[in-house]
Every structure is written in structure tokens, then in C-alpha cells.
Amino acid sequence: MLHPDEIYLILRDKTLLLELKEQINDCHIFYLPMINDQLSLIDNALKECNIDSFTMSKG
């Protein structure tokens, strides 16, 4: 089980990656696969712990 501080950091990283993904332009499009891979890893880790963004925003 993840510690609440670890969950906070993971969700913060996910938020930062999503913001970065929105800001990427055509010159940096090659970063998208790496960002998507990281987001997928984060989502999988959160699913393993039965945590989603909605749960955390309510708690």
C-alpha cells in the first residue's frame, strides 16, 4: 500500500505530465510517446492501489 505522501506525489506528477502534454507543439511531438508511457505507468500504479483521481479529489 502506498503512503499518502507517495500518492500525492504520483498524482502531482500525473497532473504535471498532463499539463506538459497539452503544451507540446509540433517541434516536440516526439516526446508524446514517452509522456503517454509515463501516464500509463502512473494509471496502472493507481489502479493497483484502487485509487483514482476522483477518489483523491474528494478525500
Side-chain angles (χ1 to χ4, degrees), residues 13-53:
D13 288 350
K14 181 177 180 176
T15 300
L16 292 173
L17 285 168
L18 289 170
E19 290 173 5
L20 179 63
K21 188 175 176 179
E22 288 178 8
Q23 296 175 10
I24 288 182
N25 58 31
D26 291 339
C27 296
H28 299 98
I29 199 82
F30 55 89
Y31 287 118
L32 282 177
M34 290 184 285
I35 292 171
N36 287 334
D37 288 346
Q38 290 299 310
L39 287 169
S40 179
L41 290 172
I42 288 171
D43 286 340
N44 288 341
L46 293 172
K47 285 178 189 174
E48 286 285 323
C49 297
N50 294 322
I51 298 168
D52 58 27
S53 298

Side-chain angles (χ1 to χ4, degrees), residues 52-59:
D52 58 27
S53 298
F54 178 74
T55 301
M56 290 305 297
S57 67
K58 294 189 86 176

Side-chain angles (χ1 to χ4, degrees), residues 1-20:
M1 188 67 173
L2 292 174
H3 188 273
D5 289 341
E6 293 171 318
I7 295 168
Y8 168 79
L9 293 174
I10 291 170
L11 290 173
R12 185 200 62 189
D13 288 350
K14 181 177 180 176
T15 300
L16 292 173
L17 285 168
L18 289 170
E19 290 173 5
L20 179 63

